[in-house]
Amino acid sequence: MLTLSRKPGESIRIGNDILIIVQEVRGKVVKISIEAPEDMTIYREELYKRIVAANLESTSLSDLADLEKELKDLPDF
Amino acid sequence: MRVSTVRFGEIEIKDSDLIHFPGAILGFPASKSYFIIEAEDSAFFAWLQSVQEPELCFVVTDPFIFKKDYSVNLTNKEIESLSIKEANEINILSIVSINSRSNGQININLMAPLVVNATTRVGYQLIKEEYTHHLRYNIKPILRKMAEIEEMDRKAFDKADVQKQAVS
């Protein structure tokens, strides 16, 4: 992994069209602005990880078999 | 086109059946197209099968059945990337999961719905932070209640039927 040191007001460019600007550092909080193409989605990592974990729960075949069983156990499903 | 799937074997589908997810479903970057397979024995659930990964299959449902006051507010940017022109083009699906650790809870994901433009058949999994606490919304109690009501209706119907026979 590449690690760079930057001061507020300085920035990092990734490829031609992604620009990451360090706006402000206050105590433990860093404010960052990102310029990226419209079709590029940007998430806070912890949020992204939670969604991925929930998505994963829906996909394993054994869990799906469990789901089918659960549904069958309900009357009339 | 023929698609191989782990769950359903080889399936013949039309290109027009495909739903494209340019941004993928989060965590599954290799799959960009899916198609719906109706579940035979359930009116509420359907399968969302990946074209690219035979083993990848989600269960999806209409979230509005289970949460009447659910709403997905689309930003202008989202409306633009989905190229939505009319409100009735919007189709919203929730991914269903079962949490084996929590006593067979059946959950739907209200925080990251699949929003699909029914005309272009392009969709995105969007993150709606106002539903952070409904990432796993348990629908089992609602399913039970629905099943009970149906059972009651059926019994009432049977009873009425018996009475009618008795009269005749």
Side-chain angles (χ1 to χ4, degrees):
Chain A
M1 191 191 283
L2 173 70
T3 309
L4 300 168
S5 297
R6 303 272 64 195
K7 294 190 183 113
E10 293 183 334
S11 49
I12 295 164
R13 186 169 285 275
I14 303 172
N16 278 320
D17 41 17
I18 299 175
L19 183 66
I20 297 173
I21 308 158
V22 179
Q23 294 290 10
E24 190 187 326
V25 182
R26 194 179 288 174
K28 283 188 170 177
V29 180
V30 183
K31 210 174 254 177
I32 292 168
S33 300
I34 303 160
E35 271 180 38
E38 283 283 303
D39 59 345
M40 193 151 280
T41 47
I42 299 166
Y43 309 107
R44 273 178 252 126
E45 177 66 3
E46 65 274 17
L47 211 60
Y48 177 82
K49 278 192 175 144
R50 285 184 63 203
I51 308 288
V52 169
N55 282 348
L56 268 171
E57 276 169 28
S58 176
T59 56
S60 84
L61 283 177
S62 59
D63 282 355
L64 288 187
D66 280 350
L67 177 60
E68 281 179 329
K69 193 179 153 295
E70 284 290 337
L71 293 177
K72 288 221 169 74
D73 285 351
L74 291 167
D76 208 44
F77 275 97
Chain B
M1 64 190 279
R2 279 195 91 71
V3 181
S4 55
T5 74
V6 168
R7 179 163 277 270
F8 308 97
E10 292 258 312
I11 298 183
E12 181 69 37
I13 57 159
K14 291 191 287 263
D15 283 354
S16 56
D17 292 333
L18 294 176
I19 303 173
H20 302 279
F21 289 91
I25 291 178
L26 303 191
F28 302 91
S31 286
K32 296 283 168 70
S33 1
Y34 291 81
F35 56 96
I36 297 268
I37 302 175
E38 302 294 338
E40 271 172 26
D41 47 3
S42 163
F44 301 132
F45 301 99
W47 305 94
L48 188 67
Q49 169 69 48
S50 156
V51 173
Q52 287 82 13
E53 295 170 281
E55 70 286 355
L56 183 58
C57 185
F58 295 93
V59 181
V60 292
T61 191
D62 173 356
F64 301 100
I65 297 174
F66 301 102
K67 189 154 173 45
K68 301 279 181 233
D69 61 348
Y70 183 56
S71 67
V72 177
N73 298 318
L74 300 178
T75 63
N76 285 338
K77 193 181 161 220
E78 286 164 347
I79 291 171
E80 201 177 303
S81 49
L82 280 159
S83 29
I84 288 165
K85 294 187 185 70
E86 313 267 340
N88 61 13
E89 287 181 316
I90 308 169
N91 231 328
I92 293 172
L93 295 169
S94 279
I95 294 181
V96 183
S97 64
I98 178 158
N99 194 337
S100 37
R101 279 159 303 168
S102 63
N103 207 8
Q105 229 175 298
I106 299 171
N107 300 314
I108 61 174
N109 181 345
L110 296 179
M111 183 185 170
L114 304 177
V115 182
V116 178
N117 179 330
T119 312
T120 61
R121 303 188 70 83
V122 169
Y124 286 92
Q125 183 170 33
L126 304 179
I127 297 183
K128 293 292 151 191
E129 291 192 37
E130 60 269 34
Y131 284 101
T132 300
H133 52 297
H134 286 333
L135 178 62
R136 295 180 183 81
Y137 181 77
N138 185 15
I139 58 167
K140 203 163 171 183
I142 306 166
L143 279 171
R144 274 205 191 290
K145 195 166 256 169
M146 285 161 114
E148 272 164 24
I149 290 170
E150 189 149 333
E151 184 69 20
M152 260 157 48
D153 279 354
R154 201 201 340 263
K155 277 189 182 141
F157 186 78
D158 286 351
K159 207 170 150 194
D161 219 31
V162 169
Q163 280 170 350
K164 215 188 287 171
Q165 279 174 7
V167 170
S168 61

mmCIF file of all heavy atoms in Angstrom, chain A residues 2 4-5 8 10 15-16 20 24 27 29 32 34-35 37 41 48-50 52-53 58 62 66 70-71 74 76:
data_model
loop_
_atom_site.group_PDB
_atom_site.id
_atom_site.type_symbol
_atom_site.label_atom_id
_atom_site.label_comp_id
_atom_site.label_asym_id
_atom_site.label_seq_id
_atom_site.Cartn_x
_atom_site.Cartn_y
_atom_site.Cartn_z
ATOM 1 N N LEU A 2 0.487 2.212 -0.785
ATOM 2 C CA LEU A 2 1.243 3.455 -0.861
ATOM 3 C C LEU A 2 0.781 4.413 0.249
ATOM 4 O O LEU A 2 -0.408 4.607 0.453
ATOM 5 C CB LEU A 2 0.982 4.093 -2.234
ATOM 6 C CG LEU A 2 1.546 5.506 -2.459
ATOM 7 C CD1 LEU A 2 3.060 5.476 -2.543
ATOM 8 C CD2 LEU A 2 0.962 6.106 -3.733
ATOM 9 N N LEU A 4 1.298 8.309 1.752
ATOM 10 C CA LEU A 4 1.860 9.636 1.488
ATOM 11 C C LEU A 4 1.526 10.577 2.640
ATOM 12 O O LEU A 4 0.481 10.441 3.255
ATOM 13 C CB LEU A 4 1.259 10.228 0.204
ATOM 14 C CG LEU A 4 1.457 9.454 -1.101
ATOM 15 C CD1 LEU A 4 0.551 10.027 -2.185
ATOM 16 C CD2 LEU A 4 2.908 9.507 -1.546
ATOM 17 N N SER A 5 2.419 11.528 2.918
ATOM 18 C CA SER A 5 2.095 12.559 3.908
ATOM 19 C C SER A 5 1.668 13.826 3.176
ATOM 20 O O SER A 5 2.306 14.235 2.207
ATOM 21 C CB SER A 5 3.330 12.881 4.766
ATOM 22 O OG SER A 5 3.696 11.739 5.480
ATOM 23 N N PRO A 8 -2.767 20.161 5.038
ATOM 24 C CA PRO A 8 -4.042 20.736 4.591
ATOM 25 C C PRO A 8 -3.829 21.612 3.358
ATOM 26 O O PRO A 8 -2.843 22.359 3.291
ATOM 27 C CB PRO A 8 -4.491 21.574 5.789
ATOM 28 C CG PRO A 8 -3.881 20.890 6.955
ATOM 29 C CD PRO A 8 -2.547 20.371 6.485
ATOM 30 N N GLU A 10 -3.125 20.486 0.469
ATOM 31 C CA GLU A 10 -2.436 19.663 -0.533
ATOM 32 C C GLU A 10 -3.358 18.536 -1.002
ATOM 33 O O GLU A 10 -4.362 18.240 -0.368
ATOM 34 C CB GLU A 10 -1.136 19.103 0.057
ATOM 35 C CG GLU A 10 -0.106 20.201 0.350
ATOM 36 C CD GLU A 10 1.218 19.663 0.857
ATOM 37 O OE1 GLU A 10 1.257 18.574 1.446
ATOM 38 O OE2 GLU A 10 2.218 20.368 0.662
ATOM 39 N N GLY A 15 -4.828 8.453 -11.067
ATOM 40 C CA GLY A 15 -5.149 8.403 -12.497
ATOM 41 C C GLY A 15 -5.382 9.816 -13.001
ATOM 42 O O GLY A 15 -4.866 10.786 -12.446
ATOM 43 N N ASN A 16 -6.199 9.920 -14.040
ATOM 44 C CA ASN A 16 -6.427 11.239 -14.622
ATOM 45 C C ASN A 16 -7.581 11.979 -13.970
ATOM 46 O O ASN A 16 -7.642 13.196 -14.009
ATOM 47 C CB ASN A 16 -6.735 11.116 -16.122
ATOM 48 C CG ASN A 16 -5.473 10.980 -16.930
ATOM 49 O OD1 ASN A 16 -4.471 11.654 -16.646
ATOM 50 N ND2 ASN A 16 -5.477 10.091 -17.907
ATOM 51 N N ILE A 20 -7.992 13.857 -4.660
ATOM 52 C CA ILE A 20 -8.323 13.808 -3.241
ATOM 53 C C ILE A 20 -7.619 14.978 -2.553
ATOM 54 O O ILE A 20 -6.394 15.103 -2.636
ATOM 55 C CB ILE A 20 -7.883 12.466 -2.627
ATOM 56 C CG1 ILE A 20 -8.652 11.331 -3.308
ATOM 57 C CG2 ILE A 20 -8.128 12.442 -1.111
ATOM 58 C CD1 ILE A 20 -8.207 9.962 -2.927
ATOM 59 N N GLU A 24 -8.711 19.919 5.827
ATOM 60 C CA GLU A 24 -8.523 20.429 7.171
ATOM 61 C C GLU A 24 -8.161 19.292 8.119
ATOM 62 O O GLU A 24 -8.652 18.180 7.973
ATOM 63 C CB GLU A 24 -9.875 21.055 7.613
ATOM 64 C CG GLU A 24 -9.825 21.851 8.887
ATOM 65 C CD GLU A 24 -11.243 22.268 9.326
ATOM 66 O OE1 GLU A 24 -12.100 22.534 8.451
ATOM 67 O OE2 GLU A 24 -11.482 22.298 10.539
ATOM 68 N N GLY A 27 -7.423 18.044 15.329
ATOM 69 C CA GLY A 27 -7.289 16.955 16.304
ATOM 70 C C GLY A 27 -7.191 15.634 15.566
ATOM 71 O O GLY A 27 -6.310 15.447 14.735
ATOM 72 N N VAL A 29 -9.531 14.438 13.556
ATOM 73 C CA VAL A 29 -10.426 14.395 12.396
ATOM 74 C C VAL A 29 -9.781 15.055 11.179
ATOM 75 O O VAL A 29 -9.264 16.174 11.269
ATOM 76 C CB VAL A 29 -11.767 15.092 12.719
ATOM 77 C CG1 VAL A 29 -12.696 15.054 11.523
ATOM 78 C CG2 VAL A 29 -12.422 14.423 13.920
ATOM 79 N N ILE A 32 -11.719 15.571 4.154
ATOM 80 C CA ILE A 32 -11.189 15.253 2.826
ATOM 81 C C ILE A 32 -12.244 15.540 1.762
ATOM 82 O O ILE A 32 -13.415 15.225 1.945
ATOM 83 C CB ILE A 32 -10.815 13.744 2.778
ATOM 84 C CG1 ILE A 32 -9.614 13.479 3.703
ATOM 85 C CG2 ILE A 32 -10.493 13.286 1.363
ATOM 86 C CD1 ILE A 32 -9.362 12.019 3.950
ATOM 87 N N ILE A 34 -13.264 14.886 -2.297
ATOM 88 C CA ILE A 34 -12.923 13.970 -3.392
ATOM 89 C C ILE A 34 -13.598 14.427 -4.674
ATOM 90 O O ILE A 34 -14.809 14.684 -4.677
ATOM 91 C CB ILE A 34 -13.386 12.533 -3.061
ATOM 92 C CG1 ILE A 34 -12.749 12.068 -1.740
ATOM 93 C CG2 ILE A 34 -13.028 11.570 -4.200
ATOM 94 C CD1 ILE A 34 -13.475 10.929 -1.082
ATOM 95 N N GLU A 35 -12.828 14.538 -5.717
ATOM 96 C CA GLU A 35 -13.395 14.780 -7.050
ATOM 97 C C GLU A 35 -13.213 13.510 -7.851
ATOM 98 O O GLU A 35 -12.091 13.031 -7.999
ATOM 99 C CB GLU A 35 -12.619 15.902 -7.751
ATOM 100 C CG GLU A 35 -13.156 17.308 -7.477
ATOM 101 C CD GLU A 35 -12.328 18.360 -8.205
ATOM 102 O OE1 GLU A 35 -11.907 18.096 -9.366
ATOM 103 O OE2 GLU A 35 -12.084 19.406 -7.593
ATOM 104 N N PRO A 37 -15.184 10.857 -11.184
ATOM 105 C CA PRO A 37 -16.225 10.786 -12.217
ATOM 106 C C PRO A 37 -17.579 10.430 -11.606
ATOM 107 O O PRO A 37 -17.634 9.720 -10.598
ATOM 108 C CB PRO A 37 -15.739 9.664 -13.130
ATOM 109 C CG PRO A 37 -14.280 9.566 -12.874
ATOM 110 C CD PRO A 37 -14.064 9.965 -11.456
ATOM 111 N N THR A 41 -18.704 5.373 -7.444
ATOM 112 C CA THR A 41 -19.384 5.501 -6.160
ATOM 113 C C THR A 41 -18.346 5.642 -5.046
ATOM 114 O O THR A 41 -17.292 5.022 -5.089
ATOM 115 C CB THR A 41 -20.281 4.283 -5.887
ATOM 116 O OG1 THR A 41 -19.533 3.115 -6.181
ATOM 117 C CG2 THR A 41 -21.512 4.325 -6.749
ATOM 118 N N TYR A 48 -19.655 0.614 3.714
ATOM 119 C CA TYR A 48 -19.501 -0.310 2.600
ATOM 120 C C TYR A 48 -19.376 -1.743 3.122
ATOM 121 O O TYR A 48 -20.036 -2.658 2.651
ATOM 122 C CB TYR A 48 -18.265 0.090 1.784
ATOM 123 C CG TYR A 48 -17.953 -0.832 0.638
ATOM 124 C CD1 TYR A 48 -18.621 -0.709 -0.574
ATOM 125 C CD2 TYR A 48 -16.970 -1.816 0.762
ATOM 126 C CE1 TYR A 48 -18.328 -1.551 -1.636
ATOM 127 C CE2 TYR A 48 -16.672 -2.670 -0.286
ATOM 128 C CZ TYR A 48 -17.353 -2.533 -1.481
ATOM 129 O OH TYR A 48 -17.075 -3.377 -2.521
ATOM 130 N N LYS A 49 -18.540 -1.898 4.166
ATOM 131 C CA LYS A 49 -18.308 -3.237 4.718
ATOM 132 C C LYS A 49 -19.589 -3.832 5.304
ATOM 133 O O LYS A 49 -19.834 -5.029 5.187
ATOM 134 C CB LYS A 49 -17.226 -3.179 5.801
ATOM 135 C CG LYS A 49 -15.818 -3.197 5.232
ATOM 136 C CD LYS A 49 -14.813 -3.445 6.333
ATOM 137 C CE LYS A 49 -13.415 -3.597 5.768
ATOM 138 N NZ LYS A 49 -12.415 -3.009 6.675
ATOM 139 N N ARG A 50 -20.407 -2.988 5.939
ATOM 140 C CA ARG A 50 -21.655 -3.486 6.528
ATOM 141 C C ARG A 50 -22.603 -3.994 5.439
ATOM 142 O O ARG A 50 -23.248 -5.020 5.594
ATOM 143 C CB ARG A 50 -22.357 -2.370 7.322
ATOM 144 C CG ARG A 50 -21.694 -2.065 8.656
ATOM 145 C CD ARG A 50 -22.492 -1.040 9.425
ATOM 146 N NE ARG A 50 -23.820 -1.544 9.763
ATOM 147 C CZ ARG A 50 -24.862 -0.763 10.034
ATOM 148 N NH1 ARG A 50 -24.744 0.549 9.988
ATOM 149 N NH2 ARG A 50 -26.016 -1.290 10.353
ATOM 150 N N VAL A 52 -21.757 -5.011 2.386
ATOM 151 C CA VAL A 52 -21.185 -6.217 1.788
ATOM 152 C C VAL A 52 -21.470 -7.427 2.681
ATOM 153 O O VAL A 52 -21.880 -8.486 2.191
ATOM 154 C CB VAL A 52 -19.663 -6.055 1.555
ATOM 155 C CG1 VAL A 52 -19.017 -7.380 1.185
ATOM 156 C CG2 VAL A 52 -19.405 -5.019 0.465
ATOM 157 N N ALA A 53 -21.321 -7.245 3.996
ATOM 158 C CA ALA A 53 -21.571 -8.357 4.925
ATOM 159 C C ALA A 53 -23.023 -8.807 4.828
ATOM 160 O O ALA A 53 -23.310 -10.009 4.783
ATOM 161 C CB ALA A 53 -21.228 -7.933 6.346
ATOM 162 N N SER A 58 -26.889 -13.254 2.143
ATOM 163 C CA SER A 58 -28.008 -13.662 1.306
ATOM 164 C C SER A 58 -27.605 -14.660 0.230
ATOM 165 O O SER A 58 -28.437 -15.121 -0.530
ATOM 166 C CB SER A 58 -28.622 -12.434 0.647
ATOM 167 O OG SER A 58 -29.643 -12.801 -0.228
ATOM 168 N N SER A 62 -26.177 -22.798 1.419
ATOM 169 C CA SER A 62 -26.719 -23.468 2.602
ATOM 170 C C SER A 62 -27.688 -22.533 3.319
ATOM 171 O O SER A 62 -28.733 -22.956 3.812
ATOM 172 C CB SER A 62 -25.597 -23.900 3.531
ATOM 173 O OG SER A 62 -24.847 -22.780 3.931
ATOM 174 N N ASP A 66 -31.660 -22.912 4.111
ATOM 175 C CA ASP A 66 -32.271 -22.603 5.410
ATOM 176 C C ASP A 66 -33.484 -21.705 5.220
ATOM 177 O O ASP A 66 -34.520 -21.897 5.845
ATOM 178 C CB ASP A 66 -31.274 -21.855 6.320
ATOM 179 C CG ASP A 66 -30.293 -22.809 6.966
ATOM 180 O OD1 ASP A 66 -30.517 -24.032 6.856
ATOM 181 O OD2 ASP A 66 -29.323 -22.333 7.562
ATOM 182 N N GLU A 70 -37.232 -22.357 6.302
ATOM 183 C CA GLU A 70 -37.961 -21.431 7.180
ATOM 184 C C GLU A 70 -39.310 -21.055 6.567
ATOM 185 O O GLU A 70 -40.319 -21.013 7.234
ATOM 186 C CB GLU A 70 -37.144 -20.146 7.397
ATOM 187 C CG GLU A 70 -35.986 -20.295 8.359
ATOM 188 C CD GLU A 70 -36.456 -20.474 9.794
ATOM 189 O OE1 GLU A 70 -37.585 -20.054 10.097
ATOM 190 O OE2 GLU A 70 -35.701 -21.045 10.584
ATOM 191 N N LEU A 71 -39.283 -20.774 5.265
ATOM 192 C CA LEU A 71 -40.508 -20.351 4.594
ATOM 193 C C LEU A 71 -41.515 -21.492 4.544
ATOM 194 O O LEU A 71 -42.708 -21.287 4.707
ATOM 195 C CB LEU A 71 -40.195 -19.849 3.179
ATOM 196 C CG LEU A 71 -39.389 -18.556 3.110
ATOM 197 C CD1 LEU A 71 -39.083 -18.202 1.664
ATOM 198 C CD2 LEU A 71 -40.131 -17.415 3.780
ATOM 199 N N LEU A 74 -43.440 -21.966 7.735
ATOM 200 C CA LEU A 74 -44.554 -21.056 7.964
ATOM 201 C C LEU A 74 -45.772 -21.652 7.276
ATOM 202 O O LEU A 74 -45.668 -22.150 6.169
ATOM 203 C CB LEU A 74 -44.262 -19.679 7.350
ATOM 204 C CG LEU A 74 -43.174 -18.870 8.014
ATOM 205 C CD1 LEU A 74 -42.775 -17.713 7.125
ATOM 206 C CD2 LEU A 74 -43.648 -18.344 9.348
ATOM 207 N N ASP A 76 -48.604 -22.242 4.912
ATOM 208 C CA ASP A 76 -48.992 -21.683 3.620
ATOM 209 C C ASP A 76 -47.920 -20.884 2.899
ATOM 210 O O ASP A 76 -48.228 -19.952 2.171
ATOM 211 C CB ASP A 76 -50.249 -20.818 3.770
ATOM 212 C CG ASP A 76 -51.035 -20.814 2.482
ATOM 213 O OD1 ASP A 76 -51.177 -21.901 1.906
ATOM 214 O OD2 ASP A 76 -51.467 -19.738 2.053
#
